Amino acid sequence: MRAKTKVIHGGITGDEQTGAVSVPIYQTSTYKQDQVGKHRGYEYSRTGNPTRHALETVISDLENGKSGFAFGSGMAAITSIMMLFNAEDHVIMTDDVYGGTYRLMTSVLNRFNLNHTYVDTSYKEKVEAAITNKTKAIYVETPTNPLLKITDIKEMAEIAKKHDLKLIVDNTFATPYWQQPIDLGADIVLHSATKYIGGHSDVVAGLVVVNSDQLAEDLHFIQNSAGGVLGPQDSWLLMRGIKTLALRMEAIEANTKKIISFLQDHEQVSTIYYPGIESHKGHNVASSQASGYGGMVSFDVGSGKLAQKVLEKVNYFTLAESLGAVESLISLPAQMTHASIPRERRLELGITDGLIRISVGIEDSEDLIEDLKQALEG
Ligand SMILES: *Cc1c(COP(=O)(O)O)cnc(C)c1O
């Protein structure tokens, strides 16, 4: 099945019993048992719910994995993955991971002695050098936020295999429509489904797909034990979102291409960070492992003052955190998502005061370009 068909026909669709084409929302916490200990596949909705299960089968199909799991947020998903490990285990992580992941590792899981080292995972040598006899996993995010840094997933999978580590990939920015890490050798793939998978800025959710029966059993045990599950209503909204994932990603890609060429020609814009641009450091790797580059773009307008003005003047770009929705969003990483990082460290990373991040939506590209133009020049 090809990707565009898979978003419609992948996993469990509809309802066998009634013929309903849309999976019903099983708004139930518990299930009548036929006899003591004899149930029809479901006993309690933390353990399993048919609507959530249908979603879990679709995401597993989209990522070409063995089993899928749905959580109440991307962070709940990441937390549950980390619970697969034990105290004193060590995880190597991409150095510019999502801020919430950084906080989870450094301020929460550190208290349980789950250790980590941040590494620029775009350099294979740096990853290998960080491996210790306690290392159990490599956790990468690719592309990253807001500089769209790229890690070579296949290369990471080779290192992981050689050292018997699990490779975990945060695939939020690329989406399974453009990039399938399990095919490239990853063991676990996760999403903040709040972003492109939901796609409409109306659900907070997390999804995980694993590549083996053992990991499926282990993660289900954690999901049921820790309990950070996604409710049936939100599961249904994600399935609805997934049906248009292909259409949305194609539309976003096309809009982004046009916006990039506008930005490239604009004198107020210096550096543009987008893996689809040939001069981007990760361009070749991105081209080899993903079939699209996505709708996240960061660009430098030289000063915090101009950046603020642009954010104030745009009409169609909504000033907000988050990303991956039908509506275009705009943000200023230095003062929003990355404000908690000291300025010096931010500048080292390339997150300047004038760096603007946009999440391109599916509006008419002409309107989006006119909007950016008047904001930059007005
Ligand atoms: C948003 C995000 C998360 C966290 O997901 P929530 O749904 O907000 O909990 C994790 N990783 C990436 C790359 C994200 O963008």
Side-chain angles (χ1 to χ4, degrees):
M1 219 189 295
R2 294 170 181 83
K4 281 180 185 149
T5 310
K6 226 187 235 184
V7 295
I8 308 296
H9 295 287
I12 292 170
T13 54
D15 178 46
E16 283 284 319
Q17 209 168 0
T18 60
V21 170
S22 165
V23 175
I25 300 170
Y26 285 90
Q27 195 72 50
T28 187
S29 60
T30 192
Y31 306 81
K32 179 175 180 282
Q33 306 194 1
D34 297 326
Q35 283 168 30
V36 177
K38 187 163 177 273
H39 58 76
R40 302 174 213 171
Y42 295 96
E43 47 192 327
Y44 187 62
S45 278
R46 168 161 37 71
T47 315
N49 172 284
T51 315
R52 190 178 90 221
H53 180 62
L55 166 67
E56 292 173 334
T57 61
V58 181
I59 190 63
S60 176
D61 272 8
L62 291 179
E63 289 287 5
N64 297 326
K66 269 266 152 98
S67 287
F69 299 88
F71 296 91
S73 70
M75 289 321 304
I78 297 167
T79 304
S80 299
I81 290 169
M82 290 302 168
M83 285 179 193
L84 293 168
F85 304 105
N86 299 313
E88 309 306 335
D89 283 352
H90 174 248
V91 181
I92 293 169
M93 305 189 87
T94 300
D95 57 0
D96 55 348
V97 281
Y98 176 73
T101 310
Y102 180 89
R103 180 174 55 199
L104 175 71
M105 297 307 293
T106 53
S107 306
V108 182
L109 295 179
N110 62 318
R111 294 193 277 112
F112 299 88
N113 294 333
L114 179 62
N115 301 312
H116 61 274
T117 303
Y118 291 115
V119 171
D120 184 343
T121 50
S122 54
Y123 295 94
K124 165 180 161 190
E125 319 77 65
K126 292 188 183 178
V127 174
E128 285 197 296
I131 297 172
T132 71
N133 59 358
K134 304 271 190 195
T135 307
K136 291 286 155 40
I138 303 172
Y139 180 108
V140 305
E141 201 176 299
T142 182
T144 63
N145 176 30
L147 298 177
L148 291 305
K149 272 165 67 176
I150 303 292
T151 293
D152 188 326
I153 298 172
K154 245 188 206 159
E155 218 168 68
M156 290 300 116
E158 279 162 21
I159 298 174
K161 247 175 219 110
K162 191 165 130 200
H163 297 271
D164 197 22
L165 314 175
K166 296 283 178 246
L167 176 61
I168 306 162
V169 179
D170 183 333
N171 202 27
T172 301
F173 271 39
T175 80
Y177 185 65
W178 295 133
Q179 177 170 281
Q180 296 94 31
I182 285 178
D183 288 348
L184 301 165
D187 300 287
I188 302 174
V189 177
L190 71 106
H191 290 276
S192 166
T194 311
K195 316 295 167 54
Y196 287 108
I197 301 220
H200 295 73
S201 304
D202 53 12
V203 194
V204 171
L207 293 171
V208 182
V209 176
V210 300
N211 74 342
S212 75
D213 290 331
Q214 186 60 53
L215 276 174
E217 190 184 324
D218 294 348
L219 192 60
H220 183 257
F221 183 76
I222 304 270
Q223 187 190 37
N224 188 39
S225 303
V229 295
L230 190 66
Q233 188 100 33
D234 286 350
S235 295
W236 186 87
L237 279 168
L238 286 192
M239 284 192 280
R240 187 183 173 103
I242 286 171
K243 300 233 189 269
T244 57
L245 181 67
L247 284 177
R248 286 185 286 111
M249 294 319 289
E250 294 285 355
I252 286 169
E253 192 85 2
N255 275 357
T256 306
K257 274 207 182 100
K258 290 182 191 154
I259 288 171
I260 292 282
S261 67
F262 161 76
L263 292 172
Q264 280 174 325
D265 289 342
H266 203 284
E267 57 177 20
Q268 301 279 23
V269 177
S270 50
T271 320
I272 303 169
Y273 298 91
Y274 185 65
I277 300 178
E278 270 176 44
S279 59
H280 186 85
K281 193 172 153 279
H283 176 70
N284 290 340
V285 175
S287 305
S288 71
Q289 69 188 11
S291 45
Y293 303 105
M296 298 305 299
V297 182
S298 293
F299 56 96
D300 203 326
V301 295
S303 75
K305 212 168 140 219
L306 178 56
Q308 295 231 14
K309 196 197 82 177
V310 170
L311 266 65
E312 276 160 29
K313 295 199 78 169
V314 283
N315 298 311
Y316 298 131
F317 285 84
T318 305
L319 174 56
E321 303 214 355
S322 198
L323 59 107
V326 288
E327 54 278 317
S328 293
L329 302 175
I330 192 163
S331 67
L332 199 57
Q335 294 202 30
M336 297 169 69
T337 44
H338 292 66
S340 61
I341 302 174
R343 185 162 184 271
E344 239 166 67
R345 172 73 184 137
R346 274 203 315 261
L347 293 178
E348 258 170 41
L349 293 169
I351 304 169
T352 55
D353 297 338
L355 188 80
I356 294 175
R357 187 193 82 173
I358 56 174
S359 167
V360 178
I362 62 169
E363 301 94 335
D364 191 305
S365 60
E366 292 303 313
D367 284 328
L368 295 177
I369 288 167
E370 278 170 21
D371 196 25
L372 286 174
K373 190 170 156 60
Q374 65 79 25
L376 280 161
E377 294 165 14

